[in-house]
Amino acid sequence: MDGKKFLFLSRAQRWTISLGLMLLMAVALLGVIYGPHSEMHQHIGNVSAEALKLLLTASAGWVLVLLYTSSNSFERIEQETVAFLTRDLCRSAEQGGRRFEARPGIIDDTVPLSMACIASTRTSVTYEVAGASDQRMHFWCNLNVCDMETVFMLPSEHADHYEAVYAATLNGFRHRNLSVTSFGLVTHRFHADGQPRQYLELYVTQTFERDFLFDAAARIHAAQALQGDLRSFLVSGARAVSAG
């Protein structure tokens, strides 16, 4: 049987197999212990010993199957997805806020991003992000196991010339072989006053390794890369405002 088919076994079926193996091992162990003491069945001990060896081998394989099904279960994948979206991304922002001695001529990128989750589902989250200046932006991120979609919601006043305003950020996407699609102006009601506002939406997709959710290093790298993109958008937007 293909190992992946064990993913479709119900919890009751897994418990039945586990208890069955334990029961068979207990019977075989009793045969090993008491078999040699039976004059009528001298061979019981030898047979039980061989059966016990086979059952121990089968149990070791079954433990690997249980570990595999546990790490690939729907509940575990959903749990790790939520953890990445609500914990890893924020942790990366907080860790990016360590302060260093400022030096003339060097951009201070150590100011932490302020991130507030304003909406979330089992696979997606929407954040409001603020940097060192008063510039703010929103982004939506959806993670489907190893496929991540991100929509960056930028000020509407940059819509007509966003390629020039965010040239550095867009070049960074191109260097990482990430395509960017403009959704144009889209209306949202993110603010507390409930008033509709238009935002320029830029859509970016990327695909990670299939075991992304269970690779801590890959998760940290992805979170930090996203934080870099957010900082770049905020800095570019602030420069455009300062330039008039």
Side-chain angles (χ1 to χ4, degrees):
M1 178 184 292
D2 186 353
K4 293 184 179 180
K5 292 183 179 179
F6 284 109
L7 292 174
F8 300 99
L9 292 177
S10 66
R11 181 173 300 179
Q13 290 173 322
R14 292 197 291 269
W15 270 107
T16 300
I17 294 174
S18 299
L19 293 174
L21 283 172
M22 288 189 287
L23 179 61
L24 290 174
M25 283 193 295
V27 172
L29 185 59
L30 289 175
V32 171
I33 295 174
Y34 296 105
H37 301 288
S38 175
E39 296 181 357
M40 295 179 61
H41 305 283
Q42 293 291 336
H43 66 287
I44 290 180
N46 294 332
V47 173
S48 297
E50 293 300 322
L52 185 60
K53 292 179 183 179
L54 293 174
L55 288 170
L56 287 173
T57 302
S59 298
W62 180 243
V63 168
L64 294 177
V65 169
L66 291 179
L67 291 174
Y68 179 79
T69 54
S70 175
S71 64
N72 287 275
S73 65
F74 177 83
E75 292 80 7
R76 178 69 186 283
I77 291 175
E78 184 180 86
Q79 176 185 352
E80 295 301 329
T81 299
V82 172
F84 173 77
L85 294 173
T86 62
R87 186 185 64 197
D88 293 1
L89 294 183
C90 293
R91 177 190 295 147
S92 180
E94 293 169 358
Q95 291 178 348
R98 294 177 297 174
R99 298 308 302 266
F100 298 90
E101 179 183 358
R103 298 181 182 179
I106 297 180
I107 297 174
D108 182 11
D109 63 349
T110 63
V111 178
L113 292 178
S114 172
M115 295 179 58
C117 178
I118 59 177
S120 63
T121 68
R122 292 185 301 182
T123 62
S124 67
V125 66
T126 302
Y127 279 101
E128 181 182 65
V129 185
S133 64
D134 292 333
Q135 291 293 111
R136 292 177 180 271
M137 63 175 291
H138 298 78
F139 78 95
W140 172 85
C141 184
N142 181 73
L143 178 62
N144 183 14
V145 184
C146 59
D147 295 321
M148 189 168 78
E149 304 169 283
T150 309
V151 176
F152 299 96
M153 305 169 199
L154 307 170
S156 59
E157 55 267 26
H158 298 157
D160 293 335
H161 50 284
Y162 77 90
E163 292 182 339
V165 173
Y166 302 107
T169 312
L170 299 178
N171 284 334
F173 286 135
R174 281 191 285 269
H175 285 311
R176 287 149 57 192
N177 295 320
L178 301 178
S179 62
V180 180
T181 302
S182 173
F183 286 168
L185 293 176
V186 180
T187 302
H188 294 285
R189 298 175 182 269
F190 289 136
H191 294 268
D193 58 14
Q195 294 300 317
R197 290 177 172 83
Q198 287 191 319
Y199 299 84
L200 168 66
E201 288 193 346
L202 298 183
Y203 175 72
V204 180
T205 61
Q206 52 189 311
T207 300
F208 306 111
E209 297 294 330
R210 293 179 62 86
D211 61 347
F212 169 75
L213 285 174
F214 307 104
D215 188 336
R219 286 168 58 155
I220 292 173
H221 181 270
Q224 291 180 343
L226 182 55
Q227 293 300 329
D229 297 333
L230 295 172
R231 291 178 188 277
S232 182
F233 274 123
L234 288 171
V235 170
S236 297
R239 287 175 176 170
V241 172
S242 299

